[in-house]
Amino acid sequence: MKKYFFLLLIVLLTAPVFAQQAVQYSQYMFNGLYINPAYAGYRGPVNFHTYYRSQWTGMPGGPSTLALAADMRTAGDNVGLGLNLMSDRVGLEKRVYAYANYAYRLRVGWDPEDRLAFGIGLGFIHSGFDNAAARTEDPESVNIENSFLPDARFGVYYSTNTFFAGVGVDNLISQLIFNDNNGSTRIPPVTQYYITGGGIVPLATDILLKPSILVKNANNAASRAWTTDLNAAVIFAEQFTFGLSYRTALSSGKQLSESLKRPNSIIALAEFVAAGQFRIGYSFDYALNRINNQVGGTHEISLGYSLNKGTQRVRTPRYF
């Protein structure tokens, strides 16, 4: 009983903190569709990707995320289509995201692989609260209602054979129509911004360096919470990727504790590619601030598959 009461307090008392944060995702560099709809079609004809993230494994009921993405490039080569689903759970609160994405890709250089893409995603966000799992001494159920909100996302993505940069924005509609005046305690959607960039630097034969950066911003009326991932990975023979990320978090508001404003984690990650089609990735997040002793580390595993068929093939390897 004490365990469930503790989880309930975590959700209710720290709701403003969770509301400021985007769903954490350490392997964003392996598939950009989760944070940018303009990424749809980048990898080629048909692609599937999924990941599972278990955060703060030392805390009962810690955050967990399960996501699935599928995208394809049309025969005309200028249009990308994609679908992404995500289920995110924090304590007793669960949120489901679903989007259908469309990207239009323009050639912007002499090389046909130099593209500037504009993307939009339309879908919905469903928020719910697991009253059945709440165990308190108060017999009355917790008054947190379910909500179903339409939503949209937008993105811009520029890529060449050796460089990429993008901007994505989520929760464009849901946060505008959310109504919190009914007396219940619900966590409202928050507009999320993602800024990414990176490149490929040859080091030796069959050895490539892939530095990249991700800046995330969650904005609401109370504060602005920023998270920055600095990443460096090495690719061996286009099959093995090993890397490290350094994540910092800070807020310009007053709703994050001092310990969370400090540099908060380091991430080790790896990916293996088989036959140019199958991908498996793993990452481990280790918190550097005081919260690590209470909540433990974070594990994330991903699986991907690319289907290349017919004459519609990718000319160069996809490193991003």
Side-chain angles (χ1 to χ4, degrees):
M1 179 178 296
K2 290 183 179 180
K3 179 180 72 173
Y4 290 106
F5 184 66
F6 171 76
L7 291 178
L8 181 60
L9 288 178
I10 287 289
V11 173
L12 296 181
L13 297 181
T14 64
V17 174
F18 287 122
Q20 295 171 19
Q21 297 296 323
V23 175
Q24 291 287 12
Y25 176 40
S26 295
Q27 299 180 47
Y28 79 93
M29 70 289 293
F30 296 155
N31 192 310
L33 187 61
Y34 298 111
I35 60 177
N36 192 333
Y39 188 86
Y42 167 76
R43 282 192 174 273
V46 182
N47 304 276
F48 301 93
H49 192 272
T50 183
Y51 80 88
Y52 174 74
R53 177 180 178 88
S54 179
Q55 187 169 334
W56 300 345
T57 54
M59 185 183 77
S64 62
T65 304
L66 176 64
L68 172 68
D71 72 295
M72 62 178 291
R73 187 185 304 176
T74 63
D77 201 43
N78 292 329
V79 174
L81 303 175
L83 174 69
N84 64 295
L85 306 172
M86 183 179 298
S87 174
D88 186 52
R89 186 183 184 98
V90 180
L92 304 179
E93 201 261 350
K94 183 177 181 181
R95 185 165 288 175
V96 176
Y97 306 79
Y99 297 97
N101 304 282
Y102 174 90
Y104 190 79
R105 307 167 65 248
L106 300 171
R107 292 186 180 183
V108 292
W110 293 104
D111 193 319
E113 297 300 316
D114 296 353
R115 296 292 183 114
L116 178 64
F118 298 88
I120 186 171
L122 299 176
F124 66 86
I125 300 175
H126 177 265
S127 297
F129 188 80
D130 189 1
N131 286 334
R135 298 291 186 269
T136 70
E137 296 180 359
D138 188 347
E140 295 185 5
S141 61
V142 180
N143 185 29
I144 298 184
E145 298 181 356
N146 293 337
S147 64
F148 186 92
L149 300 173
D151 195 31
R153 59 203 300 250
F154 176 77
V156 179
Y157 188 77
Y158 172 74
S159 63
T160 70
N161 290 330
T162 59
F163 175 79
F164 78 97
V167 177
V169 186
D170 285 351
N171 300 347
L172 286 173
I173 296 179
S174 58
Q175 56 91 24
L176 294 177
I177 63 177
F178 178 82
N179 181 11
D180 58 358
N181 296 322
N182 56 6
S184 64
T185 304
R186 291 186 296 166
I187 301 175
V190 179
T191 304
Q192 312 283 358
Y193 302 90
Y194 304 88
I195 303 173
T196 57
I200 290 293
V201 180
L203 297 180
T205 304
D206 289 335
I207 300 179
L208 303 172
L209 174 65
K210 184 172 75 170
S212 62
I213 184 173
L214 167 64
V215 178
K216 295 182 289 184
N217 171 250
N219 183 30
N220 62 15
S223 66
R224 299 179 66 91
W226 296 85
T227 303
T228 302
D229 287 16
L230 303 174
N231 314 288
V234 179
I235 304 173
F236 298 92
E238 298 183 356
Q239 286 187 298
F240 300 93
T241 299
F242 301 96
L244 290 174
S245 297
Y246 182 63
R247 176 173 295 154
T248 65
L250 57 88
S251 173
S252 61
K254 298 180 179 180
Q255 296 195 23
L256 289 182
S257 67
E258 289 298 324
S259 63
L260 290 179
K261 294 180 182 179
R262 301 172 184 172
N264 73 338
S265 61
I266 188 169
I267 303 158
L269 57 90
E271 185 187 49
F272 172 68
V273 181
Q277 293 181 289
F278 297 93
R279 298 172 177 268
I280 180 169
Y282 172 77
S283 63
F284 177 76
D285 299 19
Y286 181 83
L288 299 177
N289 50 28
R290 290 175 294 180
I291 197 174
N292 181 70
N293 295 330
Q294 286 75 39
V295 300
T298 297
H299 300 273
E300 185 176 299
I301 187 169
S302 65
L303 298 172
Y305 176 72
S306 297
L307 175 63
N308 297 328
K309 62 180 181 178
T311 59
Q312 189 184 26
R313 303 187 64 86
V314 177
R315 295 177 57 204
T316 58
R318 292 312 195 195
Y319 299 117
F320 312 125

